[in-house]
Amino acid sequence: MGEGARLFLPVQVPEAMFYAGDPHFAQGDGEVALTAFEAPLRATLRLTLHSDTRARRLAAGLAGPYAETAGHYLVTGLDEDLDEAVRKATRSALTYLAERCGLPGAVALAYLSAAVDLRISQVVDGVKGVHVCLPKADLGPLLIDGPTAPGLLR
């Protein structure tokens, strides 16, 4: 994701802990072998617990973690079956577009088909990963809570 990115992880159990590891200098989308260009982990992380209703509703509606980079909002789909991971990622993108932009399902689905990239995060492990790249340039004007809402990069 890169420097300055934000990763949102749903907290699924009381008193959950946080662990960071397995950093890479480089890894292609779709990691197909057991290693990428491994790196030491030296990072400054800030953890924030978002407990407002809107953030909780969005996290509950998504199939997994989501993120924000300088240019994209990313939603994920994770499953042992790659086809199911794609379905989960697509459902998460539809949920994100409905919650954050108020787009009706048919409009959001047409937008995903015409203008959005799905990328394979990794296939090397038992659980396959897909991420949907939603361009900020497209969605900024549509955000219900505006482009400077909490939880969005400024």
Side-chain angles (χ1 to χ4, degrees), residues 1 7-10 61-67 73-79 84-93 96 118-119 121 128-134:
M1 290 190 316
L7 175 63
F8 297 86
L9 302 168
L62 299 176
Y66 62 103
Y73 304 108
L74 305 171
V75 296
T76 61
L78 304 168
D79 198 272
E84 187 58 29
V86 169
R87 283 189 282 277
K88 287 180 177 180
T90 301
R91 287 184 199 115
S92 287
Y96 191 91
L118 277 69
R119 295 188 173 168
S121 305
K128 313 304 185 244
V130 176
H131 58 280
V132 177
C133 303
L134 301 165

Side-chain angles (χ1 to χ4, degrees), residues 57-133:
R57 187 174 60 235
L58 177 60
L62 299 176
Y66 62 103
E68 180 179 356
T69 68
H72 292 88
Y73 304 108
L74 305 171
V75 296
T76 61
L78 304 168
D79 198 272
E80 291 179 0
D81 179 277
L82 186 57
D83 289 337
E84 187 58 29
V86 169
R87 283 189 282 277
K88 287 180 177 180
T90 301
R91 287 184 199 115
S92 287
L94 292 170
T95 297
Y96 191 91
L97 292 169
E99 288 288 328
R100 295 298 316 281
C101 303
L103 290 181
V107 173
L109 193 57
Y111 168 71
L112 292 176
S113 245
V116 172
D117 293 325
L118 277 69
R119 295 188 173 168
I120 306 302
S121 305
Q122 65 91 31
V123 295
V124 69
D125 295 323
V127 174
K128 313 304 185 244
V130 176
H131 58 280
V132 177
C133 303

